[in-house]
Amino acid sequence: MSRIILHIDLDSFYAACEERRKPEIRGKPVVICMYSGRKDSGAVATANYAARALGIRAGLPLRTARARANKETVFLPADREFYNKVSGKIMGIFRSYSDSFEQRSIDEAYLDVSEKCKTYGKAEALAKEIKSEVLRKEKLTCSAGIGPNKLIAKMASREHKPDGLTIITPRSAKKFLTEKPVEKLFGIGPKTFEVLKHYKIKTINDLACMNVETLQKEFGDRKGFLLHQHSQGIDEGEVLELEKQQLSRIGTLTKDTKNKKTIMRKLSSLTGDMFRKIRKEHISFKTVSIITINTYLDTKTRSKTLEEFTKSKELFLKEIESLLKGFLKENPDEILRRCGVRVSTFPTQKKKQKSLTEF
DNA sequence: GCGGAGATGGACC
DNA sequence: CTAACGGGTCCATCTCCGC
């Protein structure tokens, strides 16, 4: 059955939240920052369009962002708790308009509106209605894409930003994709792009012309298969509400170190923050992990799955202390820059069924 | 061979 | 243009091990 999927993305969400509650910064370049606690260190989480005009984009080191800023530019620390609240309200609006709903991140979601709309014309009208409700109730703009599946809807929503609305019908889907550079295909990051370069693949059409076997040899069965499908504009992925799989907190150490006490202090404070969330959401868990990132930015993890589900912070701290001890024993020369804690394996999680890849 | 557990890496926002 | 650089999550894959 042919579907109609809507993807909606809130425009420079963090920055827009701040502009909404701080009238005095409206119209200025606004840069939302993640500070690491070290001098001169940190990165841009979101920049509004005025800041992007100065060449300041998400992911940029703060040093660089500051160098590009003008006198007007406002730098603010990210307040994720606040953005989460705003996001929750907007996701509620999205959900109320859909047959099925899938939140992908704090600022984007898929809506399956096949039943509700039946035609692309009605879906377009619905998207306009949702956009205007979000603007009226939450004073924020968003960009929407409509297509026959999640991939096309997602890429459509990126097409016109901010405050855009792009409709790609099934018959225009191929044309919409083919001429685009292959790295614009959702799911292709730097590593995959690097490999595709060796095959002289430049456009999505080039990728569509490769045979599945080659892609599967290069990227593995599943990823190769998906690359092949996606390059043809095919995506059978359903719009489904996802259960949370894991919860983590990571932070940067004030100084690079391999001192157990220093690392444990940081892990304890991250644990405190994580447990505020765990308690608020009544989460119990079975697996506990520590995450370490050394000065070369290599990540290593250590985890342990307990016998029973638990909610106990005391037990958690005991377990991560023993994980850390073991890790430092095995890696006596690792100097850490960042570290973190994680819980996973929640009660409702069912084993994954994989039904695909017959062919 | 199948699963869970544990570890790693890619991708995205 | 690169490299540098935050925090959070999901997913695939590989290895090991017990059944």
Side-chain angles (χ1 to χ4, degrees):
Chain A
M1 257 316 277
S2 151
R3 298 178 293 163
I4 304 178
I5 310 297
L6 180 53
H7 179 264
I8 313 178
D9 200 325
L10 296 157
D11 298 321
S12 36
F13 180 55
Y14 293 2
C17 286
E18 297 293 353
E19 290 185 73
R20 192 185 79 171
R21 69 171 171 180
K22 294 188 171 74
E24 67 277 14
I25 67 172
R26 284 184 203 155
K28 296 182 180 180
V30 176
V31 182
I32 309 301
C33 312
M34 310 288 299
Y35 297 103
S36 68
R38 296 186 183 202
K39 176 175 168 298
D40 238 26
S41 162
V44 174
T46 308
N48 71 358
Y49 281 83
R52 289 184 208 189
L54 301 171
I56 301 173
R57 302 173 319 275
L60 212 63
L62 285 187
R63 221 193 334 252
T64 317
R66 282 197 202 98
R68 294 183 185 180
N70 57 22
K71 287 192 250 332
E72 310 278 77
T73 309
V74 181
F75 290 84
L76 294 170
D79 179 356
R80 291 190 52 120
E81 227 172 295
F82 172 57
Y83 312 144
N84 264 316
K85 272 196 195 128
V86 179
S87 167
K89 290 188 190 167
I90 296 172
M91 293 299 160
I93 296 174
F94 292 167
R95 186 184 275 104
S96 75
Y97 279 102
S98 61
D99 301 326
S100 54
F101 169 80
E102 178 176 335
Q103 181 172 353
R104 281 310 299 192
S105 71
I106 193 168
D107 69 346
E108 58 177 286
Y110 294 102
L111 288 65
D112 189 323
V113 298
S114 311
E115 282 303 307
K116 202 177 196 74
C117 292
K118 309 278 195 197
T119 70
Y120 276 75
K122 284 188 182 166
E124 177 175 1
L126 182 71
K128 285 180 178 160
E129 200 178 328
I130 295 173
K131 277 162 63 78
S132 80
E133 180 165 341
V134 172
L135 186 58
R136 190 179 66 218
K137 289 195 175 154
E138 297 298 328
K139 304 285 175 242
L140 295 174
T141 65
C142 48
S143 297
I146 300 174
N149 58 47
K150 292 206 283 185
L151 175 79
I152 303 289
K154 164 84 186 173
M155 296 197 40
S157 72
R158 291 204 293 214
E159 194 73 2
H160 299 106
K161 281 172 173 252
D163 201 16
L165 173 55
T166 305
I167 298 118
I168 305 296
T169 59
R171 47 184 297 273
S172 61
K174 261 245 166 76
K175 185 160 194 275
F176 172 67
L177 289 183
T178 43
E179 295 307 317
K180 286 190 163 45
V182 73
E183 67 271 25
K184 300 283 181 206
L185 187 66
F186 183 70
I188 295 186
K191 300 285 177 180
T192 310
F193 184 41
E194 224 15 77
V195 175
L196 291 174
K197 270 185 194 163
H198 295 313
Y199 287 92
K200 310 249 188 288
I201 302 299
K202 294 201 170 58
T203 66
I204 295 178
N205 187 51
D206 294 342
L207 182 62
C209 291
M210 286 182 77
N211 59 51
V212 206
E213 292 80 6
T214 313
L215 289 168
Q216 289 181 316
K217 280 219 180 65
E218 194 65 64
F219 300 105
D221 281 359
R222 170 135 180 110
K223 186 164 183 198
F225 175 70
L226 287 179
L227 278 175
H228 188 253
Q229 294 246 300
H230 289 176
S231 68
Q232 339 251 342
I234 301 168
D235 177 12
E236 302 289 348
E238 282 174 60
V239 175
L240 275 180
E241 205 127 6
L242 310 159
E243 297 169 55
K244 190 184 262 311
Q245 304 289 318
Q246 55 179 229
L247 178 65
S248 64
R249 286 293 183 273
I250 288 184
T252 302
L253 293 150
T254 334
K255 278 184 61 181
D256 296 346
T257 184
K258 57 175 176 178
N259 180 271
K260 185 185 160 211
K261 265 216 176 121
T262 309
I263 298 167
M264 198 54 214
R265 261 203 305 277
K266 184 69 185 176
L267 293 181
S268 302
S269 90
L270 292 164
T271 298
D273 186 40
M274 187 173 71
F275 268 78
R276 275 197 290 284
K277 178 110 178 168
I278 286 176
R279 286 175 182 151
K280 202 175 343 164
E281 305 205 349
H282 308 289
I283 292 170
S284 61
F285 54 86
K286 211 179 223 184
T287 306
V288 309
S289 313
I290 60 167
I291 302 153
T292 67
I293 297 151
N294 66 19
T295 48
Y296 307 107
L297 300 179
D298 299 323
T299 304
K300 290 194 174 78
T301 61
R302 287 292 178 273
S303 31
K304 181 177 177 188
T305 301
L306 310 170
E307 300 281 324
E308 306 282 351
F309 289 107
T310 182
K311 295 173 170 328
S312 162
K313 180 169 160 184
E314 291 64 39
L315 179 56
F316 178 85
L317 279 170
K318 212 184 94 216
E319 295 295 344
I320 61 165
E321 181 149 22
S322 109
L323 287 171
L324 178 62
K325 203 171 158 193
F327 175 83
L328 292 174
K329 201 169 214 170
E330 288 170 44
N331 302 275
D333 300 326
E334 289 272 301
I335 312 237
L336 301 192
R337 177 184 174 88
R338 306 167 62 200
C339 62
V341 291
R342 176 163 68 208
V343 293
S344 53
T345 319
F346 305 141
T348 51
Q349 286 174 18
K350 343 179 180 48
K351 344 220 170 299
K352 292 222 219 204
Q353 68 245 352
K354 42 178 174 189
S355 57
L356 52 163
T357 54
E358 359 54 71
F359 52 88

